[in-house]
Amino acid sequence: TQPRYQYSLRLGAEWNGIDLDLFFQGVGKRDMWTQSAFVMPLMRGADAIYKNQTSYVTNADVAAGVINQKATYPRMFPGNAGQGTISVINLGNHNFYPQTKYLVNMAYLRLKNITVGYTLPKNITQKIKLEKVRFYAGIANAFDIINHTKKFGLDPEINTGNGSLGNGVWGRTDPFMRTYSCGLQVTF
C-alpha cells in the first residue's frame, strides 16, 4: 500500500508581465487491496446487496459458465457443502478472497497548484510611486489524472477512512478541497 515512484514537477513561465506557475505532484505506483464496501460488495453486514447479487451461485452454475463471475459485482457464492451463508464466517469466504479483481490502482497525477499573474509595466507603477504591482489568481488542487476517480470517487492520497465501523470505512472521507484565491501584491 505504500506509494512508490513519488514525483513532482514545477513549471513556470513569464512573458510581457504575465506569469504562470504550475505545480504537479503524483505517485507512479500504489496498489491497495482494501476490505471496503467501496471496493468489495457486501463487506459489512449493514451494506446493501446489489440487484445482480440477489440469487446465489452454485458450483454447477460456475462450472457451466452460466454466471459471469468476472462482473464488477458478481453474484454471491454460498460457500462449501451447500451452506447458504454469505458471511466470511461459516464458509462463505469465497466472496472475500484477496484477489486482483478488487485491487485498487491508487497511482495519480495531481495539479496541486496553478497561479496566473499580471505585473503592471514599470512606466505605470513609477507614475504612482510604486516599485511593483501584481495581480494574481490561483487554484489549489485544480484536478487529478487518475483512473479510479469516476469508479470510486475518492482521494488517492488517503490511507484509511473515518468512523467506528471498522475496516468497512476505507474511502469514506470528505473529498479533497479545491481552493480558489486571488490577490494583489504591492511593493513600495
Side-chain angles (χ1 to χ4, degrees), residues 3 38 47 63 66 76 155:
F38 277 145
D47 293 329
V66 175
M76 300 290 181
D155 186 347

Side-chain angles (χ1 to χ4, degrees), residues 4-9 24-28 108-110 112:
R4 298 185 343 208
Y5 314 122
Q6 296 178 7
Y7 58 89
S8 62
L9 174 67
F24 294 91
Q25 179 258 329
V27 171
Y108 68 95
L109 169 63
R110 178 174 281 172
K112 293 287 270 189

Side-chain angles (χ1 to χ4, degrees), residues 145-166:
I145 300 174
I146 52 179
N147 68 356
H148 62 271
T149 302
K150 291 179 183 173
K151 185 175 180 181
F152 299 118
L154 54 88
D155 186 347
E157 293 182 283
I158 66 165
N159 287 319
T160 185
N162 296 321
S164 60
L165 299 173

